[in-house]
Structures are given as C-alpha cells and as structure tokens.
Amino acid sequence: MTIQRTYEEINTKIRSGKAVIVTAEEIIPIIEEKGIEKATEEIDVVTTGTFGPMCSSGAIINFGHSDPPIRMQKVWLNDVEAYAGLAAVDVYLGATQLSERQGMEYGGAHVIEDLISGKKIKLKAISRGTDCYPRREIESYITKKSINQAILFNPRNGYQNYNVAVNTSERKIYTYMGILLPDLGNASYSTSGQLSPLLNDPEFTTIGIGTRIFLGGAQGYIVWEGTQFYPQVIKDENGNTIYKGGTLAVIGDLKEMSIDYIRAATFSGYGVTLVVGIGIPIPILNSEIMKNVAVKDEDIWTEIIDYSFPHLKKPSLGRVNYRQLREGKITIQRKDIPTSPLSSYAKAREIAQKLKEEILKGEFLLQEPIQKFPKGNKFKSLLEIR
Amino acid sequence: MLSKKVIFTFSPQNVERPVTYQLIKKYDLWINILQAKFKPSLGGKLVLELKGEKNQIEEGLNFARQIGVGVEFLEQEVLWNEEKCIDCGACVSICPTGVLSLDKETFKLKFDYEKCIVCGNCVEACPLQAIKVTF
C-alpha cells in the first residue's frame, strides 16, 4: 500500500500528540533498517537544520515617532548606517553594513544581535526638515522593547549547496569563505549536508512561499524564493546528482529570536555577516518525499573552487562529497588538505532537534506552501554597458 | 619528565639576561623556543616549551621570576570563550599543529592546549572572536 498524507492529517496528528517526528540525521538509519515504504508509513515529519553565515540578511525597524516628529533621511544605529529611504521612521538595517567608527569589528549583524539580547542601541538620525516633520536631528537610545517593529527579513538565506573554497596562489587570502592559506593549505565549505533544508527537499516539493520555518529561535516564514534563485540538477560523469542554486527569502519577528540561534560574525579581512539558524520541517506526504530525506553526506557532492582567481567564473579543481569534507581532510592533486566547515554542524543538529521538540509539543504546525517557487529561472550576470 | 608551555615577558631591565642559557645550564631543562618577539632595549616576549623534572621546572621558573621576568602558563594566555563559540570549525583547518578539531561524534570544538604554539592563526580565523591571545 502506498502511503499518502495531507498537511491537515499531519497537523491533526501533531495536535493530538500522535505525530512521529525525527530529524534528517535520525531518519538515515531508520530507512536503512526498514526501507523507504515502511519508514514512510511510520514517520510523519522529518526536521532539518542549518546554522551558517548568511550575508544577505537584515532587519526592518520602525522606531515610532518623536515629538516634534522627524522624517529620518539618514540613520545610524551604534554608528552603523541603516537605509532610511522609506517612510519617516522606517529603516532597513543590512547585516553587512560596517560601523563608521569600528570598521569590521562591528556591523549591522552586531546591531541585530545586540537588539535581540535586549541591549540599548544608540540611534542617530538627521533630516532636512519639512512642514509636517520639522525636526532636523535626533539622538536617542532604543531597545527591542521601545520600538514598534523589528522584523528580520533576509532576501537570500539557506543556500542549497555551496562551493568548497581553496587557494592555489602563494599568498594567504581573506574571503567570505574564511581565511584560505596559500598553496592549497586548507579548504572551507559551508552547508549542513545531510541536515540541510534544501538538500532534503531538493526539488521544492514541500518548501515554497508560506512554509512555516524555525528562524533564529522563533517561528518565521518563507516569503519568496531567495535572490539569485537558480536551482540546477546536474548529473555528473560518475552518475551522481548534484543539486545546487536554491535559495530562500525568509521573514520573522526579531523580538522573539534568541542569540543561541542567530549571531553576528566577522570574517577577518572580509567583513561582517549574520550567522542564521534555520530549520524546516519536511512533511512526509508520500514515499517520494521520504526518498529525498534519505539523502546522506556521501551522496551530496559539491565543487572545489579556486578562490585565488579574481574573476567571476573561478576554476574548478574537482568534486568532493560532504562525508569526505566532514572527515576533516580532502585530497586535491595528491595533497591532503584540512577542511573547515564554517556552518556549524553541532548547531544544525541542535536546531533540527529543537524544531522536532516544538512540533512534538504541538507548538509548531506545518504550513502548506500557498505558492510553489518558479521554475526555469536564469542566472544573470551584470553586464557593463557603456 | 614533565612538559610545560610558558610565556616569559621581559622588561628593559632584564631583557639582556641570558635566561634560556641558565635554564638549560643550571636547571637542566630542555627548551624549545616556540616564539620570540623582542625590541632591543625595550623588552619582549618569549614562548617556550620546557621539559624536565617537576622540581627543575619549578625552580627554573622561580629563577626567572626572581630576576623580574613575567611568567605565565600558556593556557592562561590563550583564551577560548566556549560560551561565544558556535562550533563552526572555521579555525580547525588553519591550525598548523592540530590544536583545534571537531569531535567526530558531537561536532563540537575541542581545544588541545598541549599542542598549541601560540601562532595566533585561530584568533584571526574565528568569525565570533571567541579566541584571544592576551599577550
């Protein structure tokens, strides 16, 4: 008998405390023991998780109006500029924006972390002044309690799969993939592999616009495909299927988040970024979905890219799978190279567990996407037109 | 035989004293210089690995203290803030001596101070600024 389930049936089981939920890691031995069909019969939901640097992140903040009121035209939070080209007291604070005084030591992501921890943030705003908003300057302090909204809105998070970064040059380089030592001295990679949300539903069968997710410790939503959304399914010469290019735009209430699951980070010589914790539940609607969540680190392949090459299309030095990467060293050109994950597997595991517990407690229900992601997107480069 | 990693801080007053020579000669210690930073006549820092009997190491360190050399143990000077650490592993591949590794089961960071040579690579590589070298 082939199992078919609906979201409603799963949610009914969750509400009555009868749903069976495991993480994307725990499902692997279950499938190996029982097979896809039996596992599909027994399990309702599989939870995934990731906790890695995601630069395309930021927060929409509404400060409330002062008296006399000001139409803020330039705004700084702890000396980090936020984009104020919106209505009078709305800004968008980008995670990678750097402090004007501290440079790379502090940036938008740190302001976000400080806001979440409840710290006081210094606000400075200037304006030309108008008849309806006469004030031209304000300096004050805000906290997450004093402001109307703080909404995390990240246009591109949760990359499905990412390159392994290496450096063949003779010089140490500082990148968003961390420090890369000369002469293939090390390699860095950044996904949670078999726990990663978009590698467990690689063709976006259950993940789409409206999906409820775990975001930074709170409940959030997928609101759109992420920017640069360009899912590809590549069959390589050894018969491996490589999924890459899927991304998510996500939203959630910053005020409910916890710095256990969202953190500011600085990549030395590169800049500031936000480490975002995302967990997505995959409803086991049928055995096809179960086949997808059966994915293991050794089945997930990615490209080794030379980041010392200063152009957009960087040369590939071959492919490796996440099992090899996670073991701590890979071999390129007969050389053993130590690897660094960048994305925390321990935290990814914790997030998948936490999401599982929230669903088990009936606090987190599954939301069917209200719209699927588009197909056939093209990846466009910026042309220089003179 | 015991092995200890120590950091000596020299002042302008004692920078010209042949301390390592005396540690070898008088206290019979094996010395491995891991790092040395000196500014002539201003003082400097010396990171050493000392090997010897427990009492010899203690007496040698006392001698250094007596002539005014600051003595700290390496584990007091290389600080890993576990609270701040997110176990991302950015540091593990740039460590030349294998001090830093991710546990094969838990994937949490392990810090083996014994192997540290205080190169400072991890300080620069840690995105959370969770590792500090205080000298």
Side-chain angles (χ1 to χ4, degrees), chain B residues 8-54:
Chain B
F8 283 3
T9 308
F10 291 83
S11 66
Q13 285 70 43
N14 56 31
V15 69
E16 299 199 1
R17 298 285 295 264
V19 175
T20 44
Y21 170 79
Q22 278 164 319
L23 290 179
I24 296 165
K25 193 87 178 158
K26 269 176 86 177
Y27 301 94
D28 199 21
L29 295 175
W30 293 33
I31 290 191
N32 190 8
I33 300 177
L34 301 175
Q35 222 183 91
K37 276 185 212 160
F38 283 91
K39 282 192 179 150
S41 76
L42 286 176
K45 296 270 186 189
L46 197 54
V47 182
L48 299 174
E49 183 181 13
L50 306 176
K51 274 186 192 164
E53 297 306 323
K54 192 165 179 267

Side-chain angles (χ1 to χ4, degrees), chain A residues 161-165 187-191 297 300-304 319-330 337-341, chain B residues 102 104 107:
Chain A
N161 200 346
Y162 217 85
N163 304 323
V164 178
S188 63
Y189 64 102
S190 185
T191 83
D297 277 344
I300 309 169
W301 292 79
T302 185
E303 205 103 29
I304 304 162
R319 288 191 181 122
V320 279
N321 68 45
Y322 284 96
R323 171 116 189 231
Q324 297 167 316
L325 288 164
R326 218 166 286 291
E327 271 165 6
K329 66 171 198 276
I330 54 172
I337 299 163
T339 60
S340 267
Chain B
L102 291 173
K104 295 272 175 240
F107 291 97

Side-chain angles (χ1 to χ4, degrees), chain A residues 5-261:
Chain A
R5 281 190 193 88
T6 65
Y7 282 81
E8 207 31 64
E9 282 162 4
I10 294 174
N11 280 336
T12 306
K13 279 180 99 175
I14 293 171
R15 284 193 202 95
S16 59
K18 287 182 186 148
V20 182
I21 302 150
V22 296
T23 71
E25 216 179 8
E26 292 163 342
I27 192 69
I28 294 167
I30 297 175
I31 293 172
E32 277 169 3
E33 194 200 317
K34 303 185 172 177
I36 294 282
E37 290 303 325
K38 191 92 178 77
T40 309
E41 264 174 54
E42 288 175 13
I43 286 152
D44 300 296
V45 181
V46 171
T47 60
T48 64
T50 184
F51 190 74
M54 305 188 194
C55 287
S56 197
S57 298
I60 298 163
I61 300 171
N62 178 286
F63 301 112
H65 289 283
S66 58
D67 185 27
I70 178 169
R71 189 189 135 212
M72 299 176 179
Q73 283 182 305
K74 273 195 174 280
V75 170
W76 294 266
L77 293 165
N78 285 353
D79 294 313
V80 178
E81 189 171 4
Y83 180 70
L86 304 158
V89 294
D90 283 327
V91 295
Y92 185 76
L93 173 67
T96 68
Q97 187 75 29
L98 300 180
S99 156
E100 290 184 3
R101 287 202 193 148
Q102 290 168 270
M104 279 190 207
E105 276 174 38
Y106 192 90
H110 295 90
V111 178
I112 288 172
E113 184 182 312
D114 285 346
L115 257 181
I116 295 171
S117 347
K119 288 186 186 157
K120 259 167 61 174
I121 311 282
K122 192 181 173 212
L123 163 72
K124 186 185 173 203
I126 54 171
S127 171
R128 287 172 56 203
T130 68
D131 288 342
C132 46
Y133 290 106
R135 192 163 189 159
R136 297 175 65 168
E137 204 174 340
I138 188 165
E139 278 194 35
S140 183
Y141 287 91
I142 59 155
T143 65
K144 67 174 172 184
K145 286 195 179 142
S146 78
I147 54 183
N148 287 320
Q149 277 84 19
I151 305 157
L152 190 79
F153 171 50
N154 303 344
R156 184 170 69 258
N157 276 184
Y159 246 110
Q160 191 165 27
N161 200 346
Y162 217 85
N163 304 323
V164 178
V166 294
N167 170 17
T168 61
S169 80
E170 288 165 6
R171 166 179 91 79
K172 176 156 94 172
I173 60 173
Y174 296 83
T175 74
Y176 64 83
M177 293 297 281
I179 295 172
L180 299 174
L181 302 173
D183 303 318
L184 297 170
N186 69 336
S188 63
Y189 64 102
S190 185
T191 83
S192 54
Q194 62 196 15
L195 269 173
S196 173
L198 300 193
L199 288 168
N200 277 281
D201 183 11
E203 298 192 35
F204 308 97
T205 318
T206 69
I207 295 174
I209 298 171
T211 301
R212 185 177 295 119
I213 61 170
F214 173 102
L215 179 61
Q219 288 187 17
Y221 294 89
I222 293 169
V223 284
W224 214 254
E225 80 257 23
T227 53
Q228 291 178 24
F229 181 80
Y230 178 47
Q232 288 165 275
V233 187
I234 300 162
K235 298 263 181 207
D236 81 356
E237 56 286 356
N238 303 318
N240 300 305
T241 307
I242 300 168
Y243 291 99
K244 60 188 241 182
T247 63
L248 303 172
V250 300
I251 203 161
D253 188 350
L254 198 92
K255 293 184 182 186
E256 290 175 12
M257 293 180 188
S258 148
I259 61 158
D260 286 341
Y261 302 107

